[in-house]
Amino acid sequence: MSDKMLDLVARRFRTLGEPYRLRILQVLEEGDRSVGELVATLDGNQPNVSKHLQILFDAGLIGRRREGTTVFYAISDPMVFKLCALVCSSEAEKSRRDFEALAGKPGRSKR
Amino acid sequence: MSDKMLDLVARRFRTLGEPYRLRILQVLEEGDRSVGELVATLDGNQPNVSKHLQILFDAGLIGRRREGTTVFYAISDPMVFKLCALVCSSEAEKSRRDFEALAGKPGRSKR
DNA sequence: TGACTGTATGCTTCCATAGTGATACAGTCA
DNA sequence: TGACTGTATCACTATGGAAGCATACAGTCA
């Protein structure tokens, strides 16, 4: 993989590396939402939500449509949920390993 | 998904959000490597490589084994490559869309 | 046009983390 | 044990980016 591609991929990972943005995506998974709805749902302030939305939009993960003064955002790349599912299962697996290392072999240090 | 889980997932994404670490993983995909070998291959300085390896290790993505004074690292969670593949294909798709938006419909602004 | 609502953008502060050199530590061999 | 190699850690600087406030901008309605 080229260095440029690596940078792009890393950038995409960083986009997803923010809990607040993951929460936004999670809400949007249920359906389109306006900025105001997201602000209310996530209990955040409007400029911050707008900025995160912009970042997700630039990354191509969400799309937007305008109705009057209201802007609705929606998932445009469902890949993100596959990613999250993968990471979640991997995370669960890691927890299991960590647990077994602690419970099963108490004398064996990690290091 | 719980907030704690979201934090874990976000953290994992951030771990992968560093080009240098992706390069390390890419090299390790070909097989185990010692720290020294990685330093030589990646043309980096040793403390930096060691720190990135530690981060990947803490995340459970790589494992290590010691032989004398030498420490070998190896992929322990192949999931990362699935993640990268997903992101890559999504990235390619996005590029295609961007291109078509530019070439196919020159009059239509994104905003 | 002016007032109002909904959204985006500037600017500043602050925190997390990458890079780097010096140095500590672990293991091997004389 | 002392010298040497390979790796990890410490202390520091610098940078990216998130949060928050103020404010600008867009669209609607009187």
Side-chain angles (χ1 to χ4, degrees):
Chain A
M1 198 184 304
S2 70
D3 278 16
K4 199 176 172 188
M5 193 60 181
L6 276 181
D7 273 9
L8 282 174
V9 173
R11 170 166 288 277
R12 168 90 38 131
F13 278 132
R14 262 174 296 163
T15 300
L16 294 172
E18 183 64 27
Y20 205 95
R21 285 198 282 270
L22 292 181
R23 289 179 64 202
I24 290 179
L25 291 171
Q26 218 174 207
V27 174
L28 289 180
E29 189 177 13
E30 299 168 11
D32 304 15
R33 291 286 187 280
S34 72
V35 177
E37 287 170 339
L38 286 170
V39 170
T41 304
L42 297 173
D43 193 33
N45 69 48
Q46 181 268 320
N48 199 29
V49 171
S50 266
K51 257 186 290 192
H52 283 303
L53 287 169
Q54 185 64 48
I55 290 169
L56 291 169
F57 180 80
D58 289 342
L61 299 176
I62 60 177
R64 68 178 146 207
R65 81 173 188 279
R66 176 150 223 148
E67 286 184 14
T69 65
T70 306
V71 176
F72 288 91
Y73 285 88
I75 300 293
S76 71
D77 190 343
M79 167 213 62
V80 289
F81 301 115
K82 289 190 196 169
L83 287 184
C84 286
L86 267 175
V87 172
C88 283
S89 63
S90 160
E91 199 70 55
E93 174 65 15
K94 172 170 160 51
S95 298
R96 197 186 59 73
R97 281 201 310 262
D98 287 355
F99 170 73
E100 287 191 357
L102 249 68
K105 309 170 180 176
R108 197 155 172 262
S109 143
K110 264 199 298 203
R111 176 182 282 243
Chain B
M1 198 183 304
S2 71
D3 278 16
K4 200 177 171 188
M5 192 61 183
L6 275 181
D7 272 11
L8 281 174
V9 173
R11 168 166 288 279
R12 168 88 41 128
F13 278 132
R14 262 174 295 160
T15 300
L16 294 172
E18 182 64 28
Y20 205 95
R21 285 198 281 271
L22 293 181
R23 289 179 64 202
I24 290 179
L25 291 171
Q26 219 173 207
V27 174
L28 290 180
E29 189 177 13
E30 300 168 10
D32 304 15
R33 291 286 187 279
S34 72
V35 178
E37 287 170 339
L38 287 170
V39 170
T41 304
L42 298 172
D43 193 33
N45 70 46
Q46 181 268 321
N48 199 28
V49 171
S50 267
K51 246 189 298 193
H52 283 304
L53 286 169
Q54 185 65 48
I55 290 168
L56 291 169
F57 179 79
D58 289 342
L61 298 176
I62 59 177
R64 68 177 146 208
R65 81 173 190 278
R66 175 148 223 149
E67 286 185 13
T69 65
T70 307
V71 176
F72 288 90
Y73 285 88
I75 300 293
S76 72
D77 190 343
M79 168 214 62
V80 289
F81 302 115
K82 289 190 196 168
L83 287 183
C84 286
L86 267 175
V87 172
C88 282
S89 63
S90 161
E91 200 70 54
E93 174 66 13
K94 172 169 159 52
S95 297
R96 197 186 58 74
R97 281 201 311 262
D98 288 354
F99 170 74
E100 286 191 357
L102 249 69
K105 309 169 180 177
R108 196 158 172 262
S109 144
K110 262 198 299 199
R111 185 181 275 246

